[in-house]
């Protein structure tokens, strides 16, 4: 390796530092993404696999990830309030759409569990004004209108997105994200990457 570096005019230590910097940059990117996913999951409930699918579906519909996350956060908040008897408008809408708030064990469902059914309701309802109203009640006034381009595709778009991501091996488990998020909190990879 010393001969190679002499021929190229680059010290061997630079190759090592370059490789370390590349590894550090890769680790930094994954750890930051994991920490972001972990933080989003804390706010919206559900699991990392569903969040990855929803984010990718939003991206494919040209919707920023931040909009998707805020919409899911609002949906989760509405679910909690409706479960506690505080958000009667949301509860009534979900009843009218025939989307149960509780599972078979009478536990509140998560935003991730509800979203595909809500997307089917958007798809079935061709009235633009009604879609806007469903979006506003479910996701909030700002986020609701921004999420309509994704929601009108129905739950099939989430299934297709999941299958595509699975075929690429791109869906990471909750455990993988938690582990990487823990690493992000313990180390500052940027100091290694330089």
């Amino acid at each position: 390796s010393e001969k190679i570096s002499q021929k190229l005019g680059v010290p061997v230590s630079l190759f090592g530092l370059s490789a370390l910097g590349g590894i550090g940059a890769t680790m930094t990117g994954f750890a930051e993404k994991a920490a972001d996913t972990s933080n989003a999951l804390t706010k919206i409930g559900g699991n990392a696999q569903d969040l990855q699918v929803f984010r990718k579906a939003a991206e494919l519909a040209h919707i920023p990830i931040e909009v998707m996350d805020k919409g899911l956060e609002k949906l989760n908040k509405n679910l909690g309030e409706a479960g506690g008897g505080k958000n009667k408008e949301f509860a009534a809408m979900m009843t009218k759409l025939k989307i149960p708030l509780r599972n078979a064990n009478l536990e509140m469902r998560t935003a991730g569990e509800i979203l595909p059914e809500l997307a089917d309701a958007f798809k079935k309802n061709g009235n633009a004004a009604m879609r806007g109203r469903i979006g506003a009640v479910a996701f909030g006034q700002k986020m609701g209108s921004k999420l309509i381009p994704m929601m009108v595709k129905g739950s099939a778009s989430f299934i297709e997105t999941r299958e595509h991501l699975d075929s690429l091996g791109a869906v990471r488990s909750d455990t993988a994200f938690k582990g990487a998020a823990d690493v992000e909190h313990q180390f500052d990879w940027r100091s290694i990457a330089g």
Side-chain angles (χ1 to χ4, degrees), residues 26-36 180-181 183-184 189:
T26 299
M27 291 299 294
T28 297
F30 181 68
E32 287 175 349
K33 182 177 181 182
D36 173 59
V183 167
E184 170 70 8
W189 288 103

Side-chain angles (χ1 to χ4, degrees), residues 49-119:
Q49 295 83 12
D50 287 344
L51 181 59
Q52 291 168 82
V53 169
F54 299 149
R55 283 177 165 183
K56 186 62 175 179
E59 180 184 318
L60 292 171
H62 307 288
I63 297 169
I65 288 173
E66 299 78 27
V67 170
M68 179 79 252
D69 287 356
K70 286 179 182 177
L72 284 171
E73 187 177 343
K74 179 67 173 174
L75 178 60
N76 202 49
K77 180 181 177 193
N78 286 336
L79 284 166
E81 289 175 354
K86 293 180 182 177
N87 192 335
K88 294 186 188 315
E89 180 183 25
F90 178 78
M93 180 188 75
M94 297 301 277
T95 299
K96 186 172 182 174
L97 295 173
K98 298 182 179 156
I99 300 173
L101 297 177
R102 297 183 183 275
N103 63 22
N105 297 327
L106 301 178
E107 299 166 333
M108 286 303 293
R109 296 171 71 203
T110 66
E113 293 169 326
I114 298 266
L115 192 67
E117 293 173 53
L118 197 54

